[in-house]
Amino acid sequence: MGIRVIKAGLLTTVQDLGRTGFQSQGFGVSGVMDVRSFKLANLLLDNPENEAVLEFTLIGPTLEFTSDTIIAITGGDFSPKINEAPVTMYQAIYVNKGDVLELGSSATGSRGYIAFSSYLDIPMVMGSRSTNLKSGVGGFNGRKLQKDDYLYFRVKRRYIPFFLSRKLQINEFKEQEIQLRVVPGPQDQLFTAAGKKTFYKSSYTVTSDFDRMGCRLDGPYIAAKTTSDIISDGIAFGSIQVPSHGKPIILLADRQTTGGYGKIATVISADLPKLVQCKTGDKVRFKEVTVEEAQLLLREEVKEMDQYRRQIHHPCREVLDCRLTAKRLERMMR
Amino acid sequence: MADIQFSPVGDSSVLLEFGHDISEETNAKITAFSKALKSMPTAGIIDQVPAFCSLLINYDPRLVTYATLVKKMKELSKTASQAAGAMGRVFEIPVCYDGECGPDLENIAKLSGLSAEEVIKIHSEPEYLIYMLGFMPGFPYLGGLDERIHVPRLEDPRLKIPQGSVGIGGAQTGIYPLESPGGWQLLGRTPVKTYEALRKPPILFEAGDYIKFVPITKEMFDKIENDAGYKCQVRRKEV
């Protein structure tokens, strides 16, 4: 009644939107890196918005299903196959008992997600199912998945309405040069005018120092007026800190709660998925926006999600066609 | 509490700065504001991160805009004041300073020109204010370590420090809530688990609480360590 891990992949963990409410006591949030792909995976299956999924990185896992269920795969393109036949991403897929799902290495993007209609049976720890790797808490035994791990399902849910309509035409994360919109601050005053200009006008390269905790960029030196050290304060998802070496580090899902380096700007939520799906060597540019613009973009994303939800809740053409034919036949038989 | 500075941190957080120094006064303002905010549930607020002189508030911008939230926080700052005679919690943390529990005690004594007994006495005398928690779950940043026992960090940090170790690093003292690498000089160890993921609450103390170290023997240490139901003493004091 679940899944068996045949190959674990590079870094496969159980994640949801993260563990909030304990940051004041030094406990990090964790949670999925790419919130958008995560939400789309759950949306495709009518799962609760914060239902736990598997997140995998660069090389995906191979999983054997020991019961029927419905899954959806989103994020970067990991060329998924079931029993060696390719399957489509961003679509509800019915999986039979004994099927083997194999995920390769990512052709585009760097992180993928699998949502399950039968929900993973992972205990809630401090209000979340997310794996906090640093503290060894939450998720599957507080660690990344290994060969022969067995994850149970919580419920039997093998039917969802409008099954054939549950597909979306989404193909993101192809670009190797991205623009990230940022809200300046909270410590941009620590940097010289020239330093800020460098930051906004230059192209930075994603280094191999890129994990769930943060992404280190290489590129032109960002000059601080005196020092960029500050009295430690709280860190947000997407905070861009610039230590004295003058190169930006963007803090991500597994960030510490507080830090002592000045933060020149913060990546807006709508652009974080683009960043976390980057690969080593990709180029990044920054563009300044206001907090109002950033919040407007998020509201638009909510509308977009609603639009997708409506789209997958319509009978699809194939089904409608059958119904029309049946109606005509019925008339003829009368 | 009129002089709070607000700045946006991306689209889902706001930073409230209460001052630019590490002082008990600034910290008390943050604690008072944070408590007031907790007692007045506001739509959209997800989490708070109090630090030495600031408070980061995470919120859901789908439920509240930046401008509206700042307006609400400004109103709250007018009413949230440090109530005179407010009570603070003092956690009495038993610490064994003997031999293997405090491998650097002799070294600390040598560096500060004191006897081991004097170091223990000086260290366990004050009630240390918890300015903030960070670095790892439940790691307290304590203020008020006596200057006589300020000692530098180890040149060669240890790869593994046992859970509950009490150490000194420069002008700071603290407790390691989990086994971890670290460079502080260790003078003792507490059998009290300050952090346990499955306990309620998982982390014993909050910013604004106090810690008082109470010296115990190794026998007592073993007894407490094997007593699953042990709860450390919590006193109230006026602040």
Side-chain angles (χ1 to χ4, degrees):
Chain A
M1 291 301 297
I3 46 175
R4 178 174 290 117
V5 179
I6 296 175
K7 282 186 201 159
L10 203 61
L11 173 64
T12 306
T13 54
V14 177
Q15 300 290 348
D16 55 21
L17 286 173
R19 193 168 279 107
T20 52
F22 299 93
Q23 283 190 89
S24 60
Q25 292 171 300
F27 209 104
V29 177
S30 304
V32 289
M33 291 278 272
D34 178 353
V35 174
R36 182 179 156 85
S37 298
F38 163 78
K39 283 189 177 162
L40 286 170
N42 277 328
L43 184 144
L44 279 163
L45 304 180
D46 283 358
N47 282 357
E49 193 190 57
N50 194 14
E51 185 52 46
V53 302
L54 288 184
E55 178 185 276
F56 41 94
T57 312
L58 294 170
I59 301 169
T62 300
L63 308 168
E64 183 194 342
F65 289 79
T66 61
S67 62
D68 292 13
T69 190
I70 304 167
I71 61 168
I73 307 166
T74 62
D77 181 4
F78 283 73
S79 324
K81 287 178 194 158
I82 291 182
N83 303 333
E84 295 180 6
V87 290
T88 316
M89 296 184 52
Y90 290 93
Q91 166 172 338
I93 306 166
Y94 196 92
V95 187
N96 295 295
K97 181 179 175 180
D99 282 355
V100 173
L101 169 68
E102 190 187 339
L103 294 140
S105 53
S106 58
T108 63
S110 60
R111 284 158 225 283
Y113 297 87
I114 314 173
F116 305 86
S117 69
S118 308
Y119 312 147
L120 293 172
D121 190 13
I122 296 292
M124 285 275 211
V125 180
M126 296 159 74
S128 165
R129 295 191 169 88
S130 283
T131 314
N132 184 320
L133 292 168
K134 205 171 119 200
S135 308
V137 165
F140 187 85
N141 296 339
R143 61 165 169 80
K144 65 178 187 176
L145 296 188
Q146 293 169 1
K147 185 176 167 5
D148 296 331
D149 282 345
Y150 191 93
L151 285 76
Y152 286 88
F153 291 140
R154 285 210 306 284
V155 295
K156 272 187 194 171
R157 185 162 160 259
R158 298 161 187 171
Y159 170 78
I160 40 177
F162 308 112
F163 180 77
L164 293 173
S165 303
R166 292 180 178 268
K167 49 183 135 184
L168 298 170
Q169 294 299 325
I170 291 176
N171 191 354
E172 296 172 312
F173 321 125
K174 271 188 177 161
E175 300 92 358
Q176 274 146 26
E177 283 189 49
I178 57 162
Q179 186 191 61
L180 296 175
R181 287 164 291 187
V182 300
V183 177
Q187 283 102 24
D188 53 333
Q189 77 284 355
L190 295 179
F191 302 92
T192 64
K196 278 188 262 191
K197 200 174 161 197
T198 307
F199 174 71
Y200 287 110
K201 298 281 179 212
S202 312
S203 167
Y204 285 88
T205 310
V206 175
T207 68
S208 59
D209 227 343
F210 179 18
D211 57 15
R212 285 186 40 87
M213 217 173 133
C215 174
R216 212 177 262 262
L217 301 174
D218 199 8
Y221 176 85
I222 300 158
K225 284 176 189 159
T226 48
T227 170
S228 70
D229 289 359
I230 57 164
I231 297 174
S232 288
D233 68 3
I235 297 174
F237 194 170
S239 284
I240 308 170
Q241 63 181 26
V242 183
S244 52
H245 58 55
K247 310 275 168 81
I249 300 170
I250 310 179
L251 297 153
L252 304 170
D254 278 351
R255 65 197 178 278
Q256 290 186 193
T257 53
T258 56
Y261 297 119
K263 293 166 280 289
I264 192 165
T266 312
V267 179
I268 69 168
S269 305
D271 285 354
L272 281 169
K274 275 197 285 188
L275 168 67
V276 300
Q277 291 286 0
C278 277
K279 285 179 170 167
T280 303
D282 286 359
K283 305 277 186 221
V284 175
R285 279 177 180 279
F286 298 101
K287 182 178 182 253
E288 183 178 334
V289 293
T290 62
V291 60
E292 287 77 18
E293 285 173 275
Q295 297 191 335
L296 198 66
L297 284 165
L298 262 188
R299 288 210 179 85
E300 273 164 24
E301 201 177 73
V302 174
K303 281 187 206 152
E304 189 195 353
M305 291 282 172
D306 287 342
Q307 157 70 27
Y308 287 147
R309 202 170 286 118
R310 278 195 297 275
Q311 195 181 319
I312 62 168
H313 281 100
H314 273 292
C316 67
R317 194 160 169 90
E318 288 95 320
V319 172
L320 283 178
D321 281 354
C322 298
R323 280 190 198 164
L324 287 175
T325 316
K327 265 199 182 135
R328 271 186 215 130
L329 281 171
E330 193 200 357
R331 243 178 270 141
M332 284 163 66
M333 300 291 187
R334 228 182 265 154
Chain B
M1 234 186 269
D3 45 354
I4 303 174
Q5 201 188 318
F6 296 84
S7 15
V9 180
D11 49 44
S12 306
S13 307
V14 51
L15 185 71
L16 280 63
E17 286 172 278
F18 291 76
H20 298 280
D21 59 334
I22 299 178
S23 71
E24 291 210 12
E25 198 197 341
T26 306
N27 215 251
K29 282 185 199 165
I30 297 169
T31 305
F33 188 91
S34 169
K35 277 193 182 144
L37 186 59
K38 268 185 207 154
S39 64
M40 189 197 75
T42 310
I45 291 184
I46 296 169
D47 217 344
Q48 327 181 359
V49 195
F52 286 112
C53 31
S54 67
L55 178 67
L56 183 77
I57 298 173
N58 297 343
Y59 62 98
D60 185 343
R62 294 177 300 180
L63 302 177
V64 59
T65 62
Y66 177 70
T68 312
L69 187 72
V70 167
K71 211 176 128 208
K72 280 191 179 166
M73 295 300 102
K74 280 186 178 158
E75 276 164 26
L76 182 63
S77 73
K78 283 178 202 149
T79 51
S81 56
Q82 297 147 262
M87 302 298 270
R89 297 188 298 178
V90 184
F91 286 81
E92 294 195 347
I93 303 290
V95 176
C96 172
Y97 291 92
D98 288 355
E100 60 188 278
C101 289
D104 301 320
L105 180 64
E106 288 300 328
N107 197 31
I108 296 169
K110 212 171 84 188
L111 285 168
S112 43
L114 300 161
S115 69
E117 289 70 35
E118 285 169 316
V119 172
I120 296 170
K121 190 168 175 294
I122 293 168
H123 186 255
S124 58
E125 185 118 307
E127 286 165 355
Y128 297 103
L129 171 66
I130 302 176
Y131 278 98
M132 60 181 268
L133 297 130
F135 172 54
M136 63 168 95
F139 187 92
Y141 286 87
L142 304 175
L145 182 68
D146 195 300
E147 271 182 34
R148 282 174 291 172
I149 52 173
H150 288 188
V151 289
R153 285 154 209 248
L154 295 173
E155 270 176 34
D156 197 8
R158 286 188 175 88
L159 292 175
K160 231 184 203 181
I161 286 180
Q163 180 182 41
S165 291
V166 176
I168 295 178
Q172 295 194 79
T173 181
I175 310 166
Y176 283 89
L178 287 169
E179 185 184 277
S180 85
W184 287 17
Q185 307 225 31
L186 310 179
L187 73 164
R189 199 178 156 209
T190 176
V192 173
K193 288 192 172 59
T194 57
Y195 156 71
E196 243 179 312
L198 298 178
R199 182 179 59 195
K200 276 190 181 166
I203 293 156
L204 281 186
F205 26 71
E206 292 173 16
D209 290 333
Y210 293 81
I211 285 179
K212 166 100 171 63
F213 295 114
V214 181
I216 55 165
T217 59
K218 185 73 175 66
E219 288 74 48
M220 198 62 192
F221 180 96
D222 294 336
K223 205 178 142 207
I224 296 174
E225 197 173 36
N226 296 320
D227 177 5
Y230 180 84
K231 282 201 173 82
C232 71
Q233 289 277 322
V234 183
R235 281 189 287 116
R236 299 250 162 196
K237 78 158 185 172
E238 257 182 48
V239 288

